[in-house]
Amino acid sequence: MTDPRRTLRTLVLVTATTFALAACQSTPTTPPLLDLPPASASVAPDLERWWTTFNDPTLTALMDEALAHNLDLRAAMVRVDLARSNVLLAQSYLYPSMNLGVDSRRNRMTLVGSQPLPENFNPTNNDYLVGLRASYEVDLWGRYRNGASAARSELLATEYARQTVRTAVAAETARAYFGLLAADAELAMLRDTLQSRDETVALQVDLYQAGLIGDYDLQRAQAERAAVAANVAVAERAVGTYETALAAIVGRSPREVFAARIARDLTQVRLLGVPEVPSGLPSDLLERRPDIRQVEAQLAAASLRIDAARAQYFPLLSLTASYGSESAALANLFSTPALAWGIGASLLQPLIGLKAIEANVEAETARREAAVVSYTQTVQSAFRETRDALIANRSTRDALAAQTERAQKLKASLELAELRYRSGYSGYIDVLDAQRQLLQAQTLQILAARDVRFALIDLAKAMGGGWDYLMPH
């Protein structure tokens, strides 16, 4: 005949073993291995403050202003502070709680109840109590420990998110600055051209009045002057737009954004000088990109949340203790006879509501799967952006060289067209055509110089430039 006590012990042992084995399960926090391209850069570039390679004090000053006052960065810092508070909250569950209680009560019992009271019994009584109460939930299965670790990973992810915003703000500041310089250069060129067109129109008017040219040549000169004047208006609008954008990016007040006064050097030569950076794919790109490290931390947090949710299946062990004094008379509250204390322990095993726990585990598992997909997408985007930036960094420099040569050739062509016109070998239409082509070539040269700067900015951003990527995990 089976011994029921032995059966009970076996059942308890099997249950305890099952709980222990289940509690030992943990979800991996490391990101999945991906098929990555080999590194091709012989020297890893130092891009923490990449904008200083331009040797432009105005850009450096604007960058310092943006990194100190940009509103997106300030909002990201607030999110970091919030995540840090969540870590402190999660860690608080790992420690006992203790409270000081002071109670005072005065009660009166009924004299006409079902139980008769003795004569001369005073139905009114007082009760005074002061004492410490402590409680502690033993984290046997890692529910709170994993929750605190998840909160720390989320804090780290938030910090990396702030660094991602920092790299974006640095890139936006530089793009707006060089866009402004290009607009300045184009506006200055167009104003010079407009002045030249005014002089040409005045000359053509004199020739027309002298009967040396007809209506056609005069009207063509006036039309070319009007076209340049229209381009001046467009360039002035572009300058104003860049000024407003830059004032907003660096975090200035609404009044300063409306005024949009950006002190800068208007010399076009600054725009045409381009620094060199090592080309190629760095071997530590995954470490350099804060957005990749952000999703890594989010993936780790999601994994730990699964373990914390799974721990809700298991019993909760709570310990309680109290120590104090209780007396009917306030004068005797702190006397030795009034001493009162107690200790206790409780074990609570969920029996009903397991479906809710299961649903929570499944939800956290789904969030982890989403984090895995997000990690893969982020790494994919990082390598795509880096490749595009490497190609642009090379091709835009080639385009600038070609546009510079074209502008030089067309300038010489204009001089020949003017000489031929003054000598009577060609009509004024050839001069207008040469002027128009030179103006277009000079405009495209400025835009090509701007695009070289933009490509270098995109390359620095794609390689994680703009923050200290050596900061600890």
Side-chain angles (χ1 to χ4, degrees), residues 136-177:
Y136 177 56
E137 185 173 319
V138 183
D139 192 22
L140 293 175
W141 319 110
R143 175 184 179 184
Y144 297 126
R145 184 172 61 252
N146 287 321
S149 298
R152 285 192 294 269
S153 293
E154 288 166 351
L155 170 60
L156 195 58
T158 308
E159 175 60 33
Y160 287 139
R162 185 178 75 89
Q163 298 297 345
T164 300
V165 174
R166 177 186 171 90
T167 61
V169 167
E172 289 175 7
T173 303
R175 287 182 69 92
Y177 174 69

Side-chain angles (χ1 to χ4, degrees), residues 139-412:
D139 192 22
L140 293 175
W141 319 110
R143 175 184 179 184
Y144 297 126
R145 184 172 61 252
N146 287 321
S149 298
R152 285 192 294 269
S153 293
E154 288 166 351
L155 170 60
L156 195 58
T158 308
E159 175 60 33
Y160 287 139
R162 185 178 75 89
Q163 298 297 345
T164 300
V165 174
R166 177 186 171 90
T167 61
V169 167
E172 289 175 7
T173 303
R175 287 182 69 92
Y177 174 69
F178 289 125
L180 177 58
L181 286 190
D184 284 335
E186 184 177 1
L187 179 58
M189 180 194 66
L190 288 170
R191 284 173 173 170
D192 290 342
T193 303
L194 182 60
Q195 182 179 356
S196 176
R197 295 292 190 273
D198 287 338
E199 295 171 355
T200 299
V201 168
L203 177 60
Q204 295 299 97
V205 168
D206 292 340
L207 293 175
Y208 175 77
Q209 292 175 348
L212 298 177
I213 63 172
D215 291 341
Y216 179 77
D217 287 343
L218 177 60
Q219 291 177 2
R220 287 298 300 267
Q222 291 172 336
E224 287 298 317
R225 188 264 174 204
V228 174
N231 289 335
V232 168
V234 173
E236 288 175 341
R237 184 180 66 182
V239 169
T241 300
Y242 275 118
E243 286 178 328
T244 305
L246 194 52
I249 291 172
V250 299
R252 294 183 181 176
S253 68
R255 179 181 60 81
E256 293 172 318
V257 170
F258 187 81
R261 295 185 178 90
I262 306 295
R264 62 210 185 257
D265 186 349
L266 299 179
T267 305
Q268 182 177 345
V269 176
R270 278 192 181 275
L271 186 65
L272 300 180
V274 182
E276 293 286 344
V277 296
S279 61
L281 186 64
S283 59
D284 57 350
L285 180 62
L286 297 186
E287 293 291 319
R288 288 176 171 271
R289 297 269 303 211
D291 54 342
I292 293 179
R293 289 169 71 166
Q294 175 189 349
V295 292
E296 285 180 353
Q298 290 172 340
L299 176 58
S303 301
L304 291 165
R305 292 294 182 194
I306 294 175
D307 296 340
R310 190 182 292 122
Q312 298 178 26
Y313 281 117
F314 310 126
L316 302 178
L317 176 60
S318 299
L319 305 178
T320 58
S322 63
Y323 183 88
S325 297
E326 184 175 10
S327 173
L330 185 60
N332 298 327
L333 181 60
F334 295 102
S335 63
T336 301
L339 177 65
W341 60 268
I343 58 174
S346 64
L347 191 66
L348 181 64
Q349 170 60 48
L351 296 178
I352 300 177
L354 294 180
K355 283 294 184 181
I357 299 176
E358 181 182 357
N360 189 26
V361 173
E362 291 178 353
E364 298 296 347
T365 303
R367 291 189 183 96
R368 184 185 185 279
E369 292 301 316
V372 170
V373 174
S374 178
Y375 173 80
T376 305
Q377 290 176 326
T378 304
V379 174
Q380 183 188 70
S381 297
F383 282 96
R384 175 181 57 81
E385 292 170 3
T386 302
R387 183 179 187 275
D388 292 347
L390 288 170
I391 294 173
N393 189 50
R394 180 181 65 254
S395 61
T396 53
R397 291 170 189 263
D398 294 341
L400 175 59
Q403 291 293 351
T404 301
E405 181 182 3
R406 178 171 181 258
Q408 293 171 348
K409 299 297 183 182
L410 287 174
K411 184 177 182 180

